[in-house]
Amino acid sequence: MKKQGILHELYTNRILFLMLLPTLLYFFINNYLPMIGIYYGFVQFDFNTSLFNMEFVGFKNFEFLWKSGKLMELTLNTVGYNLAFIVLGNVLSITVAVLLSEVKGRWFKKISQSILFLPYFVSFVILSVIVFNLFNYEQGVLNTVLQQLGFEPVDVYSKPKLWIFFIIIFYLWKNFGYSMVIYLASITGISEDYYEAAKIDGANSFQRAWHITVPMLKNTFVILLLFALGSIMKGQFDLFYQMVGNNGLLYSTTDILDTYVYRSLRVTFDMGMATAAGVYQSLFGFTLIIVVNAVIRKINKEYALF
Amino acid sequence: MTGTKKKAISLMLTAVMSLSLFTACSGGGNGGSGNSGNNGGSGTPANTPAAADAANEQAGIDTSKKVELQFYMLGNAPKDLPKIQEQINKMALEDLNATVKFNYTTWTDWDQKYKLLLSTGQAVDLIFTADWTQYQQYAKKGAFLALDDLLPKAAPELQAFVPQEMWDAVRIDGSIYTVPATYKEYVTGGFVWREDLREKYDLPVPVDIPTFEAYLEGIKQHEPKLQPLAIGAAVDAALQDSYLDIKRRAVGPMQYGVFASYDEPGEPVSYWGSPEHLEDLKTYKSWADKGYFSKNELNETESSQDKLVNGTAAAMLNDNPVRYNQTSSRMKSLHPDWELGYTPYGLTNGYATPVHPIHNGFAIPKSSRNAERALAFYEKLVTDKRYNLLTQYGALGVNYTVEDGYYKMLGDANSNGFPREGMNGWAWRNPEFMLFEPSYEGVQKIFDELDKIQKPDIYTGFAEDYTEYQAERAALEQVEKQYLFPLMAGQVADVEAGLKTFMDKARQAGLDKVQEAYKKQWLAYLTEKGIQ
């Protein structure tokens, strides 16, 4: 075949490219054009002039990120929590999805599916109220029950280690129903033929689930994983902010980049510093997704996103 | 074949759901940016086809082109705002050939929205300013338009109406950036407590810290179910600033642990880490240990005023006379037999500072395209009785009536679409037109008492410029939240060690540099104003 120029390619498939144009435009306007704003991270913000006339200050705006010596802790917390969310979330939702798909009772299946899905719609603000009413020292449910049973009350809000579990538990409670439904949908798509063949070969239902359903979910899993990794530096701002709020006692284990940046810039609203923090987050997330994708590509080309 | 169909549907479902998951993630990332609060009065202003030539020629400004002014205020818009806006626009169109759109930010994340309004270059013509919205810093950074030349041209009447010393008081680096409110009030702090309980158990009237502690102790003993003192999550402002005010006569809520007393403002010292700081933190700790306030105060979301009204707390610090009065009448409407008491710190301290002109004002941001018209409109709002009454009290006969010279709301707080000062019009109050409710007498009595001991506010005119230490400032903010807040809330078992950790971390973050620069600016300000 003769090698053709890009113009020729554009010409031969012009209708197809024309159809692609709106999408390209959409992404260009909404996702690429705003990137000009990254430049705010490198200038001294000034009300009197336009972006490109502001004084260039290099990495000065990034300084506050490491000035408090917390950057490492924050990055670790952010990544750690997200890994826990991704791993535990997926294991839990795959397990439950597989179990639910094996359930024969239609009503039971529908009802438990809805019950698991519902917390997804609870707002984080409401979650924070629920949590506060559970754990608050003087009138919380937990301490009332403990005292009724004759135990000493526990001040949950001054024990940072405990919150690692609480945050993960509440995240799972709220979110796993959603990915479970996605898995359940993919399970429905698996052809019955496999199961029938396995049955004839004498596989029991556990073997069928382990050797057919789980491998068939790999594709969905990888896609969800890559999406999740892309936003690994973004944290779950609402969850952390609402549950921990102003309580500095808990920051050592619950502070993530988002909450840190939010608190820093709530008082000092400086466009430069806010942008710097955003750039740091995005670059880290970008690197991560490239690396993970490369690894997946190496293992199995078909599963890679790009 | 049903198999393929099923598979196709399932694939599609999977794809759509994962996609929405993806977008949900990327959207939720940046906590509450955007949304610059365009939720004020809905509906377009009445665009009556009034002819341009009908517009009165205003003193020196060109009104030949019809414009719409964007007016921004904090808080929630009253329900009847669209109707009021319509009436205002009818007059404004005639007087200035302009219409105005009143926008409100709501109180949720107002500070974020405020900052975005000023820094994104959005066209805003008039915006509220106050010390607590950082007027001084924004003015210093050049966010607002200097009004010195504009005033005589666009609003000569307003310029004459506001006393010269007030214009001078709001000057930042020699220029006027905001139109100050002229109504004289006191927004200084005071003790608020349950008078009925105090009488019932014969406890002392709180006038200073020892009597206040005795009151709290009495409540704890007699009403063990009641939380003696409500503070809330903002322990820095609600506990420490207030405590320093009454106990150490602070000149104002200074930043970064710098402290100066009202009597010796020229001698700022580092309060953080000092023996006094340790002593105060120990006091807070003892209050927490005795159960005067909750162990989980840092996670409290209910306001202290609400807790008083509901009867879940028995005292609070730092409320000003007007707010105390509001809390009191709200409480009385629910529990007629309860009483609320109040002692302004001023009576104990021997001086009270009337509100600084910076406390309420309106500025024109740099981004405004109709500065002249905006200022002319603001002049109308303040000095024209029709505009003023309409935007302060709503429509006469619909929202309120006047009885024996007093303001009377029609209907109740729920049914009335425009309560008194429903537009949060603190800045454009005009003392000549103001109407009060009878219950305001109590506030006026406090004001009269404070008038006898009034002294000028030294602190509020200070405009800090943190450009040179903004990285340290942001880092310090974090250290404060993480290590100092728990100390103030009495949640650190070993106060001395806790304070030491805090100081170490703060020094690491650059405390010394920040304090030094801050003190220098403060002294320069005092010299400039001739105080000392």
Side-chain angles (χ1 to χ4, degrees), chain B residues 131 135-136 140 168-173 356-358 457-464 522 525 528-529 531:
Chain B
D131 47 349
Y135 159 74
Q136 301 95 316
K140 194 146 193 143
D168 290 338
V170 301
R171 277 180 203 278
I172 302 291
D173 293 340
H356 193 280
I358 285 177
D457 177 349
I458 306 176
Y459 174 74
T460 311
F462 173 49
E464 177 197 356
W522 167 251
Y525 157 78
E528 184 201 320
K529 293 269 168 179
I531 313 164

mmCIF file of all heavy atoms in Angstrom, chain B residues 131 135-136 140 168-173 356-358 457-464 522 525 528-529 531:
data_model
loop_
_atom_site.group_PDB
_atom_site.id
_atom_site.type_symbol
_atom_site.label_atom_id
_atom_site.label_comp_id
_atom_site.label_asym_id
_atom_site.label_seq_id
_atom_site.Cartn_x
_atom_site.Cartn_y
_atom_site.Cartn_z
ATOM 1 N N ASP B 131 -14.525 44.985 57.053
ATOM 2 C CA ASP B 131 -13.257 44.481 57.572
ATOM 3 C C ASP B 131 -13.244 42.963 57.503
ATOM 4 O O ASP B 131 -12.237 42.357 57.182
ATOM 5 C CB ASP B 131 -13.018 44.971 59.003
ATOM 6 C CG ASP B 131 -14.239 44.807 59.885
ATOM 7 O OD1 ASP B 131 -15.329 44.516 59.338
ATOM 8 O OD2 ASP B 131 -14.124 44.961 61.111
ATOM 9 N N TYR B 135 -11.587 44.033 53.281
ATOM 10 C CA TYR B 135 -11.570 45.237 52.458
ATOM 11 C C TYR B 135 -10.161 45.816 52.358
ATOM 12 O O TYR B 135 -9.686 46.161 51.290
ATOM 13 C CB TYR B 135 -12.523 46.282 53.048
ATOM 14 C CG TYR B 135 -12.231 47.690 52.610
ATOM 15 C CD1 TYR B 135 -12.542 48.107 51.318
ATOM 16 C CD2 TYR B 135 -11.617 48.604 53.461
ATOM 17 C CE1 TYR B 135 -12.251 49.394 50.900
ATOM 18 C CE2 TYR B 135 -11.324 49.883 53.048
ATOM 19 C CZ TYR B 135 -11.642 50.284 51.777
ATOM 20 O OH TYR B 135 -11.337 51.556 51.358
ATOM 21 N N GLN B 136 -9.487 45.891 53.522
ATOM 22 C CA GLN B 136 -8.186 46.552 53.545
ATOM 23 C C GLN B 136 -7.196 45.866 52.608
ATOM 24 O O GLN B 136 -6.503 46.517 51.831
ATOM 25 C CB GLN B 136 -7.613 46.558 54.965
ATOM 26 C CG GLN B 136 -8.485 47.257 55.992
ATOM 27 C CD GLN B 136 -9.380 46.289 56.737
ATOM 28 O OE1 GLN B 136 -9.980 45.410 56.126
ATOM 29 N NE2 GLN B 136 -9.508 46.442 58.037
ATOM 30 N N LYS B 140 -5.716 47.302 49.104
ATOM 31 C CA LYS B 140 -4.270 47.443 48.992
ATOM 32 C C LYS B 140 -3.751 46.749 47.735
ATOM 33 O O LYS B 140 -2.844 47.218 47.070
ATOM 34 C CB LYS B 140 -3.614 46.843 50.225
ATOM 35 C CG LYS B 140 -2.172 47.225 50.352
ATOM 36 C CD LYS B 140 -1.772 47.364 51.811
ATOM 37 C CE LYS B 140 -0.448 48.051 51.917
ATOM 38 N NZ LYS B 140 -0.344 48.953 53.029
ATOM 39 N N ASP B 168 -11.882 59.834 55.476
ATOM 40 C CA ASP B 168 -10.460 59.689 55.771
ATOM 41 C C ASP B 168 -10.162 58.345 56.418
ATOM 42 O O ASP B 168 -9.109 57.763 56.185
ATOM 43 C CB ASP B 168 -9.995 60.831 56.689
ATOM 44 C CG ASP B 168 -9.978 62.154 55.947
ATOM 45 O OD1 ASP B 168 -9.901 62.109 54.697
ATOM 46 O OD2 ASP B 168 -10.067 63.205 56.596
ATOM 47 N N ALA B 169 -11.117 57.869 57.232
ATOM 48 C CA ALA B 169 -10.868 56.623 57.963
ATOM 49 C C ALA B 169 -10.807 55.408 57.042
ATOM 50 O O ALA B 169 -10.180 54.405 57.371
ATOM 51 C CB ALA B 169 -11.935 56.418 59.022
ATOM 52 N N VAL B 170 -11.480 55.476 55.899
ATOM 53 C CA VAL B 170 -11.470 54.308 55.015
ATOM 54 C C VAL B 170 -10.341 54.366 53.986
ATOM 55 O O VAL B 170 -10.188 53.473 53.170
ATOM 56 C CB VAL B 170 -12.815 54.106 54.274
ATOM 57 C CG1 VAL B 170 -13.934 53.942 55.274
ATOM 58 C CG2 VAL B 170 -13.097 55.244 53.315
ATOM 59 N N ARG B 171 -9.579 55.434 54.017
ATOM 60 C CA ARG B 171 -8.475 55.556 53.053
ATOM 61 C C ARG B 171 -7.461 54.437 53.239
ATOM 62 O O ARG B 171 -7.066 54.124 54.351
ATOM 63 C CB ARG B 171 -7.753 56.886 53.235
ATOM 64 C CG ARG B 171 -8.408 58.034 52.555
ATOM 65 C CD ARG B 171 -7.613 59.307 52.788
ATOM 66 N NE ARG B 171 -8.481 60.473 52.620
ATOM 67 C CZ ARG B 171 -8.770 61.000 51.422
ATOM 68 N NH1 ARG B 171 -8.235 60.492 50.335
ATOM 69 N NH2 ARG B 171 -9.576 62.032 51.323
ATOM 70 N N ILE B 172 -7.081 53.854 52.118
ATOM 71 C CA ILE B 172 -6.001 52.872 52.133
ATOM 72 C C ILE B 172 -4.926 53.425 51.223
ATOM 73 O O ILE B 172 -5.198 53.737 50.056
ATOM 74 C CB ILE B 172 -6.478 51.497 51.602
ATOM 75 C CG1 ILE B 172 -7.638 50.959 52.422
ATOM 76 C CG2 ILE B 172 -5.314 50.508 51.561
ATOM 77 C CD1 ILE B 172 -7.311 50.535 53.830
ATOM 78 N N ASP B 173 -3.736 53.586 51.745
ATOM 79 C CA ASP B 173 -2.637 54.193 51.006
ATOM 80 C C ASP B 173 -3.051 55.511 50.371
ATOM 81 O O ASP B 173 -2.714 55.796 49.223
ATOM 82 C CB ASP B 173 -2.114 53.234 49.913
ATOM 83 C CG ASP B 173 -1.447 52.017 50.523
ATOM 84 O OD1 ASP B 173 -1.059 52.095 51.706
ATOM 85 O OD2 ASP B 173 -1.341 50.993 49.820
ATOM 86 N N HIS B 356 -16.107 50.926 63.176
ATOM 87 C CA HIS B 356 -15.195 51.624 62.276
ATOM 88 C C HIS B 356 -15.879 51.801 60.924
ATOM 89 O O HIS B 356 -16.596 50.895 60.488
ATOM 90 C CB HIS B 356 -13.921 50.798 62.123
ATOM 91 C CG HIS B 356 -12.798 51.543 61.488
ATOM 92 N ND1 HIS B 356 -12.717 51.708 60.141
ATOM 93 C CD2 HIS B 356 -11.737 52.184 62.029
ATOM 94 C CE1 HIS B 356 -11.627 52.418 59.870
ATOM 95 N NE2 HIS B 356 -11.013 52.718 61.001
ATOM 96 N N PRO B 357 -15.679 52.935 60.266
ATOM 97 C CA PRO B 357 -16.359 53.144 58.973
ATOM 98 C C PRO B 357 -16.104 52.015 57.959
ATOM 99 O O PRO B 357 -16.903 51.806 57.057
ATOM 100 C CB PRO B 357 -15.765 54.464 58.486
ATOM 101 C CG PRO B 357 -15.345 55.175 59.712
ATOM 102 C CD PRO B 357 -14.939 54.122 60.699
ATOM 103 N N ILE B 358 -15.001 51.302 58.121
ATOM 104 C CA ILE B 358 -14.709 50.215 57.178
ATOM 105 C C ILE B 358 -15.678 49.051 57.357
ATOM 106 O O ILE B 358 -15.887 48.252 56.451
ATOM 107 C CB ILE B 358 -13.236 49.748 57.375
ATOM 108 C CG1 ILE B 358 -12.291 50.772 56.778
ATOM 109 C CG2 ILE B 358 -12.980 48.381 56.766
ATOM 110 C CD1 ILE B 358 -10.826 50.450 56.992
ATOM 111 N N ASP B 457 -11.613 53.265 67.335
ATOM 112 C CA ASP B 457 -11.105 51.953 66.970
ATOM 113 C C ASP B 457 -9.759 52.143 66.277
ATOM 114 O O ASP B 457 -9.670 52.803 65.247
ATOM 115 C CB ASP B 457 -12.125 51.298 66.015
ATOM 116 C CG ASP B 457 -11.659 49.950 65.517
ATOM 117 O OD1 ASP B 457 -10.489 49.596 65.723
ATOM 118 O OD2 ASP B 457 -12.492 49.242 64.918
ATOM 119 N N ILE B 458 -8.717 51.595 66.870
ATOM 120 C CA ILE B 458 -7.388 51.784 66.292
ATOM 121 C C ILE B 458 -7.086 50.713 65.251
ATOM 122 O O ILE B 458 -6.426 50.938 64.263
ATOM 123 C CB ILE B 458 -6.290 51.690 67.383
ATOM 124 C CG1 ILE B 458 -6.593 52.655 68.505
ATOM 125 C CG2 ILE B 458 -4.925 51.965 66.804
ATOM 126 C CD1 ILE B 458 -5.617 52.551 69.655
ATOM 127 N N TYR B 459 -7.618 49.519 65.493
ATOM 128 C CA TYR B 459 -7.165 48.346 64.750
ATOM 129 C C TYR B 459 -7.681 48.279 63.313
ATOM 130 O O TYR B 459 -6.934 47.969 62.384
ATOM 131 C CB TYR B 459 -7.583 47.086 65.502
ATOM 132 C CG TYR B 459 -7.287 45.817 64.759
ATOM 133 C CD1 TYR B 459 -5.973 45.350 64.658
ATOM 134 C CD2 TYR B 459 -8.298 45.101 64.139
ATOM 135 C CE1 TYR B 459 -5.690 44.197 63.967
ATOM 136 C CE2 TYR B 459 -8.023 43.945 63.444
ATOM 137 C CZ TYR B 459 -6.721 43.490 63.358
ATOM 138 O OH TYR B 459 -6.451 42.352 62.672
ATOM 139 N N THR B 460 -8.977 48.555 63.121
ATOM 140 C CA THR B 460 -9.622 48.218 61.850
ATOM 141 C C THR B 460 -9.033 48.924 60.630
ATOM 142 O O THR B 460 -9.068 48.382 59.532
ATOM 143 C CB THR B 460 -11.136 48.447 61.949
ATOM 144 O OG1 THR B 460 -11.589 47.824 63.139
ATOM 145 C CG2 THR B 460 -11.882 47.863 60.788
ATOM 146 N N GLY B 461 -8.497 50.097 60.817
ATOM 147 C CA GLY B 461 -7.952 50.818 59.665
ATOM 148 C C GLY B 461 -6.680 50.228 59.099
ATOM 149 O O GLY B 461 -6.227 50.605 58.024
ATOM 150 N N PHE B 462 -6.122 49.262 59.811
ATOM 151 C CA PHE B 462 -4.845 48.669 59.409
ATOM 152 C C PHE B 462 -5.018 47.763 58.198
ATOM 153 O O PHE B 462 -5.847 46.856 58.209
ATOM 154 C CB PHE B 462 -4.284 47.886 60.603
ATOM 155 C CG PHE B 462 -3.052 47.096 60.292
ATOM 156 C CD1 PHE B 462 -1.976 47.666 59.634
ATOM 157 C CD2 PHE B 462 -2.960 45.774 60.694
ATOM 158 C CE1 PHE B 462 -0.837 46.930 59.372
ATOM 159 C CE2 PHE B 462 -1.827 45.026 60.431
ATOM 160 C CZ PHE B 462 -0.762 45.616 59.765
ATOM 161 N N ALA B 463 -4.249 48.012 57.152
ATOM 162 C CA ALA B 463 -4.322 47.174 55.955
ATOM 163 C C ALA B 463 -3.033 46.386 55.811
ATOM 164 O O ALA B 463 -1.986 46.942 55.526
ATOM 165 C CB ALA B 463 -4.546 48.033 54.725
ATOM 166 N N GLU B 464 -3.151 45.097 56.023
ATOM 167 C CA GLU B 464 -1.971 44.246 55.945
ATOM 168 C C GLU B 464 -1.663 43.912 54.488
ATOM 169 O O GLU B 464 -2.561 43.694 53.693
ATOM 170 C CB GLU B 464 -2.272 42.959 56.716
ATOM 171 C CG GLU B 464 -1.167 41.948 56.651
ATOM 172 C CD GLU B 464 -1.659 40.563 57.067
ATOM 173 O OE1 GLU B 464 -2.826 40.436 57.465
ATOM 174 O OE2 GLU B 464 -0.862 39.624 56.975
ATOM 175 N N TRP B 522 2.484 47.094 61.055
ATOM 176 C CA TRP B 522 1.579 47.634 62.074
ATOM 177 C C TRP B 522 2.127 48.950 62.628
ATOM 178 O O TRP B 522 1.407 49.945 62.749
ATOM 179 C CB TRP B 522 1.395 46.584 63.173
ATOM 180 C CG TRP B 522 0.746 47.073 64.429
ATOM 181 C CD1 TRP B 522 1.342 47.258 65.637
ATOM 182 C CD2 TRP B 522 -0.629 47.419 64.615
ATOM 183 N NE1 TRP B 522 0.437 47.699 66.554
ATOM 184 C CE2 TRP B 522 -0.789 47.809 65.960
ATOM 185 C CE3 TRP B 522 -1.740 47.448 63.766
ATOM 186 C CZ2 TRP B 522 -2.008 48.212 66.490
ATOM 187 C CZ3 TRP B 522 -2.966 47.857 64.291
ATOM 188 C CH2 TRP B 522 -3.088 48.230 65.633
ATOM 189 N N TYR B 525 1.872 51.681 60.189
ATOM 190 C CA TYR B 525 0.488 52.157 60.113
ATOM 191 C C TYR B 525 0.192 53.126 61.251
ATOM 192 O O TYR B 525 -0.411 54.181 61.058
ATOM 193 C CB TYR B 525 -0.460 50.957 60.141
ATOM 194 C CG TYR B 525 -1.861 51.254 60.618
ATOM 195 C CD1 TYR B 525 -2.784 51.869 59.769
ATOM 196 C CD2 TYR B 525 -2.257 50.925 61.908
ATOM 197 C CE1 TYR B 525 -4.063 52.146 60.218
ATOM 198 C CE2 TYR B 525 -3.538 51.196 62.357
ATOM 199 C CZ TYR B 525 -4.440 51.807 61.515
ATOM 200 O OH TYR B 525 -5.697 52.081 61.958
ATOM 201 N N GLU B 528 1.785 56.398 60.579
ATOM 202 C CA GLU B 528 1.085 57.111 59.513
ATOM 203 C C GLU B 528 -0.183 57.774 60.044
ATOM 204 O O GLU B 528 -0.520 58.892 59.686
ATOM 205 C CB GLU B 528 0.743 56.116 58.395
ATOM 206 C CG GLU B 528 0.096 56.759 57.184
ATOM 207 C CD GLU B 528 -0.681 55.751 56.362
ATOM 208 O OE1 GLU B 528 -0.182 54.604 56.212
ATOM 209 O OE2 GLU B 528 -1.784 56.098 55.903
ATOM 210 N N LYS B 529 -0.891 57.069 60.933
ATOM 211 C CA LYS B 529 -2.150 57.605 61.459
ATOM 212 C C LYS B 529 -1.934 58.506 62.668
ATOM 213 O O LYS B 529 -2.882 59.020 63.244
ATOM 214 C CB LYS B 529 -3.081 56.449 61.852
ATOM 215 C CG LYS B 529 -3.570 55.641 60.674
ATOM 216 C CD LYS B 529 -4.878 56.195 60.125
ATOM 217 C CE LYS B 529 -5.164 55.538 58.793
ATOM 218 N NZ LYS B 529 -6.385 55.961 58.163
ATOM 219 N N ILE B 531 -0.993 57.619 65.675
ATOM 220 C CA ILE B 531 -1.362 57.012 66.954
ATOM 221 C C ILE B 531 -0.072 56.562 67.626
ATOM 222 O O ILE B 531 0.864 56.192 66.930
ATOM 223 C CB ILE B 531 -2.276 55.786 66.744
ATOM 224 C CG1 ILE B 531 -3.386 56.127 65.768
ATOM 225 C CG2 ILE B 531 -2.848 55.299 68.070
ATOM 226 C CD1 ILE B 531 -4.102 54.935 65.207
#
